Amino acid sequence: MKLTLLVAALPAASTALPTWPWTKPHSKPLKYPGLDVLAKRAGLLYFGTAIDNVVLDNKQYISIARNRSEFGQVTPANGQKWMYIEPTQGVFNYTLGDQITVPATRAGQLKRCHNFVWHNQLPEWLTSANWTKPALVKVLENHIKHEARHYYNDCYAWDVVNEAFDDDAAASLRKDIWLDTIGAEYIELAFKFARKYTRPGTKLYYNDYAIESVNNKSSKVAAMVKDFKKRGVPIDGVGLQAHYTVGRAPSYDAQMAAHKLFSRLGVETALTELDVRLQLPDNSTAQALQAQVYADSTKACLDADDCVGVTVWDFWDPVSWVPDTFPGYGNADIWDANFTKKPAYYAISDLLRSYD
């Protein structure tokens, strides 16, 4: 997903903190250990955040984003996507990706790298050409080779292929340059190229949205994973993006079923882009419901056998991608515009402490 800066002022949110069932409401900030510290104590590998380049000049934002006690893992939200990495064929520019990964390395944060292959945010030289299958396969391998080698020592995991399945009722493969030119084989080729050029031990993920419950789409992804495992195509994990809406998010039980769907195939899972949008203007009731969704999602990861971590798709409301994509919705993150921790933050924190 793409993050962009909000231009319009955010509507004022209620300052009343609601009561949720697992703890008393917080009337003032409490000095708890950060979310990553608590997540590790609870048995996860990390609690992390996406970071976009558009906000790197905000010192208060960076002080939180680079606080390893809060976020032990970082995902470049946009800087490693094809249009920025290879804007001209054969010419590679790692500036935007490095702006996220280099400080994360200095801070001792893991990196989930994102992504090698997607239907979106592709450069014009790639989308406007009339490719043959062999030529496009070479382009695909060359891109993965160069990007993987540049970030060879940096990435705990790579989202190798992102959002390959469509939103239609059949959850068919998405028609795009890759499917139209190479065919369905492009997905396994991408994973094979990724294994060839990434550091041994790097986790290779398929990443998608609307697979956080058992449905046609998640079943199609599971069938692909099962086929890959049977034929020796390298795949280590499935990323559940977890972009949710208050009032329409899958339940804890539904999310647990999705984790089990994939873990029984021998791959790990992770929540890779968690946010919970709500209809604006928000209020204390909406914030309480939002907090419950964040807690339920984190709890499902904690209780699943092979879920390794949770990544929020940024943590600060003003840089959320939601308002531009879903007009009338927003405030999807766990810090508000004033850098105040929201009920959702405390819901996650309290839940993680309960596992300590």
Side-chain angles (χ1 to χ4, degrees):
M1 298 299 177
K2 185 178 180 179
L3 295 174
T4 53
L5 282 172
L6 276 172
V7 177
L10 291 173
S14 169
T15 57
L17 289 170
T19 300
W20 38 79
W22 54 87
T23 185
K24 293 180 181 179
H26 299 287
S27 58
K28 60 182 180 180
L30 300 177
K31 293 183 178 179
Y32 290 158
L35 297 179
D36 186 71
V37 172
L38 293 171
K40 286 183 169 69
R41 290 179 184 175
L44 297 180
L45 181 63
Y46 60 80
F47 195 99
T49 186
I51 300 175
D52 201 3
N53 303 76
V54 295
V55 74
L56 294 181
D57 60 349
N58 187 306
K59 293 182 179 179
Q60 191 168 0
Y61 175 95
I62 290 300
S63 71
I64 299 171
R66 297 304 182 196
N67 181 350
R68 191 174 63 181
S69 68
E70 291 287 7
F71 301 118
Q73 173 270 316
V74 165
T75 299
N78 280 295
Q80 292 177 319
K81 291 174 180 173
W82 199 309
M83 66 184 291
Y84 303 112
I85 293 293
E86 193 179 359
T88 302
Q89 185 174 6
V91 178
F92 293 86
N93 186 339
Y94 302 104
T95 301
L96 295 182
D98 289 357
Q99 286 176 356
I100 307 299
T101 61
V102 171
T105 299
R106 294 194 191 114
Q109 296 166 304
L110 287 175
K111 278 80 65 183
R112 290 196 79 263
C113 294
H114 176 82
N115 54 59
F116 284 135
V117 185
W118 191 26
H119 67 277
N120 210 342
Q121 289 183 262
L122 298 173
E124 186 177 357
W125 69 262
L126 182 59
T127 58
S128 62
N130 186 20
W131 300 100
T132 64
K133 178 178 177 177
L136 191 58
V137 169
K138 288 182 180 179
V139 167
L140 177 63
E141 180 173 10
N142 191 59
H143 180 84
I144 292 175
K145 177 179 72 175
H146 280 82
E147 188 168 16
R149 285 179 172 174
H150 180 82
Y151 293 106
Y152 189 79
N153 293 314
D154 291 327
C155 305
Y156 163 76
W158 266 103
D159 290 330
V160 177
V161 176
N162 194 48
E163 300 176 4
F165 289 86
D166 213 338
D167 299 322
D168 57 17
S172 52
L173 287 175
R174 187 185 302 276
K175 290 183 66 63
D176 59 15
I177 184 175
W178 310 113
L179 183 67
D180 293 346
T181 308
I182 300 175
E185 183 187 8
Y186 86 86
I187 302 175
E188 69 175 84
L189 286 173
F191 277 91
K192 289 175 179 177
F193 296 151
R195 179 63 77 219
K196 181 178 179 180
Y197 296 112
T198 57
R199 184 174 181 170
T202 301
K203 301 295 185 178
L204 305 182
Y205 270 67
Y206 175 77
N207 192 53
D208 214 331
Y209 63 92
I211 60 171
E212 301 86 3
S213 61
V214 178
N215 53 40
N216 283 346
K217 192 172 187 178
S218 60
S219 297
K220 285 290 186 70
V221 175
M224 179 188 72
V225 172
K226 183 177 180 179
D227 175 60
F228 281 10
K229 298 293 278 189
K230 180 180 179 180
R231 296 191 292 112
V233 178
I235 185 169
D236 303 302
V238 174
L240 286 63
Q241 289 185 9
H243 292 294
Y244 295 143
T245 306
V246 166
R248 299 199 296 272
S251 66
Y252 162 82
D253 289 337
Q255 293 181 69
M256 280 296 296
H259 285 291
K260 290 178 182 178
L261 176 68
F262 298 115
S263 64
R264 70 188 183 195
L265 299 175
V267 293
E268 66 184 41
T269 58
L271 301 184
T272 56
E273 304 185 16
L274 175 62
D275 56 20
V276 184
R277 60 185 177 268
L278 47 81
Q279 193 164 10
L280 300 175
D282 72 358
N283 53 53
S284 61
T285 299
Q287 289 184 24
L289 293 170
Q290 180 185 59
Q292 183 73 58
V293 175
Y294 268 105
D296 285 347
S297 303
T298 303
K299 179 174 172 57
C301 181
L302 285 164
D303 292 346
D305 290 338
D306 296 297
C307 185
V308 298
V310 176
T311 305
V312 292
W313 203 242
D314 222 302
F315 60 89
W316 188 43
D317 280 338
V319 288
S320 171
W321 68 291
V322 168
D324 284 346
T325 307
F326 301 97
Y329 288 82
N331 292 8
D333 298 329
I334 58 178
W335 266 265
D336 69 15
N338 297 317
F339 289 106
T340 301
K341 295 172 181 176
K342 293 161 64 173
Y345 176 97
Y346 291 111
I348 298 167
S349 176
D350 291 343
L351 174 73
L352 293 171
R353 285 190 304 122
S354 75
Y355 280 70
D356 189 357

